[in-house]
Amino acid sequence: MSEIVLGVGASHSTLMNTHWEETFHKDRAERFRDALAEAREALAAARPDTVILVGSNHFRGFWLDLIPSFTIGVGECVASGESGTPKGPQPVDIPLARHIANSLVEQGSFDPAFSARLQIDHGQSHAVQYLLEGLDVELVPIVVNVFAPPLPTLERCEALGRAIRDAVLAFPEDRRVAVVGSGGLSHRLPWPDWREPHGDDEEFMVGAWLNGRENWQDYDVRRREIIRAAEASLNPEFDEEFLSLVSRGEIRNITAFSTEELEKVAGNGAQELRTWLLMSAVLDHVPGRRLAYEPMPEWLTGMAVAVLDPVHPQERQS
């Protein structure tokens, strides 16, 4: 029978690899890097066979011609390799992936999209690079739409995590399963609401999202120029409260936010917290251990790492 052995929440940023040098000499960057290494060691110690990798996609695998709320990779998985991230085929635990997809449909509560040739980007491949390097594991990649409204509600993401937990525990083959939620905390990206672009940059971005399926690289130079020109907008107070919820095993409380309320308080990029929420639900919201939180304006993002260990959980705080 399968068991769920560890959960990890870890932030990513498109500027991590390309702008390490700008932050290399700063203690907060080193603390974040060390936390990623500690989380990787925890994953290695947990000896997972399979990692359910929950992440976002930044319009390199999904396009405005078709945006599912949830997509499960059930066949090939290819990393796009942008910004110095891993590139090429990734190993997929196809039997478990298809079991989860089938179970969700048969349970009647979810009808996720599936892909037999899923392309992921740094929303997941940063985790492959920093958390899974050298580990002999296969993936079940799950992509959550966090950028093209209407987004799945936070409550729906939490419920999906619980349904995936039930599916994994019912899998008849032996698996040690870890779960990684990959997403930044508070941050605001220079990305428009695709339904109402204003100005040349926003219209360019929406055009890239609509037309980039076969040629996304052609749009990346100007995309990165727009991103690099953005001013950081972080909310460390929100991030601290969120990580406190993680430590207390109360992350489900963020389902009280609507999509609009979350963007207002923590930025449009904070919609990626859905990946942490889903991961925590698969771990049955066991109290977690915070490894790092560092506001990184150079990367436009609040960066954090936490580990949820169901065998040795943190004591639930009163």
Side-chain angles (χ1 to χ4, degrees):
M1 299 296 289
S2 293
E3 56 182 324
I4 299 168
V5 297
L6 199 74
V8 175
S11 301
H12 64 253
S13 166
T14 189
L15 303 176
M16 278 173 58
N17 286 356
T18 58
H19 292 72
W20 269 116
E21 292 185 357
E22 289 184 6
T23 58
F24 191 77
H25 59 289
K26 297 180 178 178
D27 289 344
R28 49 193 166 85
E30 291 303 311
R31 288 193 293 268
F32 176 70
R33 187 201 300 264
D34 291 346
L36 288 176
E38 185 175 353
R40 184 203 169 279
E41 291 175 2
L43 281 164
R47 299 180 290 105
D49 303 299
T50 303
V51 172
I52 298 176
L53 179 51
V54 186
S56 54
N57 191 279
H58 306 73
F59 296 99
R60 294 186 181 85
F62 292 85
W63 310 94
L64 289 179
D65 56 11
L66 185 63
I67 299 282
S69 292
F70 307 108
T71 304
I72 301 175
V74 297
E76 299 175 20
C77 177
V78 181
S80 60
E82 90 285 4
S83 305
T85 54
K87 183 177 182 178
Q90 305 298 313
V92 174
D93 185 342
I94 292 174
L96 180 58
R98 294 183 180 179
H99 166 80
I100 291 173
N102 289 338
S103 296
L104 293 175
V105 173
E106 291 297 326
Q107 289 169 7
S109 55
F110 286 91
D111 300 295
F114 66 88
S115 174
R117 186 171 292 160
L118 178 67
Q119 178 165 303
I120 60 175
D121 67 12
H122 73 272
Q124 295 182 310
S125 51
H126 267 314
V128 173
Q129 184 173 19
Y130 292 103
L131 297 174
L132 306 182
E133 183 182 14
L135 302 186
D136 183 17
V137 297
E138 295 183 319
L139 306 179
V140 174
I142 298 177
V143 180
V144 181
N145 170 29
V146 301
F147 291 126
L151 309 182
T153 66
L154 291 155
E155 187 174 18
R156 189 69 170 160
C157 294
E158 199 273 342
L160 177 60
R162 287 187 279 111
I164 290 174
R165 173 183 176 82
D166 292 342
V168 170
L169 295 178
F171 188 55
E173 300 179 25
D174 291 336
R175 292 286 195 284
R176 295 176 61 83
V177 178
V179 189
V180 171
S182 177
L185 275 57
S186 69
H187 63 300
R188 187 173 298 279
L189 298 171
W191 286 15
D193 183 327
W194 67 272
R195 300 165 296 188
E196 296 183 89
H198 299 286
D200 290 344
D201 284 348
E202 292 192 359
E203 290 178 359
F204 165 80
M205 294 292 269
V206 172
W209 298 345
L210 184 61
N211 302 310
R213 179 174 291 279
E214 303 298 334
N215 55 345
W216 59 266
Q217 295 93 336
D218 296 344
Y219 295 97
D220 260 20
V221 172
R222 184 172 174 187
R223 274 174 51 129
R224 290 191 67 78
E225 288 175 349
I226 294 171
I227 292 171
R228 287 291 300 131
E231 293 185 4
S233 178
L234 312 182
N235 186 341
E237 292 76 17
F238 171 87
D239 293 341
E240 291 286 354
E241 178 58 28
F242 173 76
L243 291 171
S244 177
L245 294 175
V246 173
S247 298
R248 299 199 302 267
E250 298 176 357
I251 191 173
R252 62 162 64 92
N253 289 356
I254 70 165
T255 61
F257 283 95
S258 68
T259 295
E260 291 75 19
E261 290 168 340
L262 182 60
E263 176 172 347
K264 184 176 181 180
V265 70
N268 57 356
Q271 306 295 355
E272 289 181 331
L273 290 177
R274 285 164 171 77
T275 66
W276 286 60
L277 176 64
L278 200 160
M279 174 275 297
S280 179
V282 178
L283 270 292
D284 199 24
H285 298 300
V286 61
R289 180 165 60 96
R290 165 179 164 166
L291 301 184
Y293 170 66
E294 304 295 341
M296 297 292 289
E298 297 88 346
W299 301 344
L300 305 178
T301 306
M303 308 294 288
V305 184
V307 171
L308 280 63
D309 184 346
V311 179
H312 305 290
Q314 301 298 293
E315 291 187 8
R316 197 177 293 271
Q317 299 177 12
S318 61

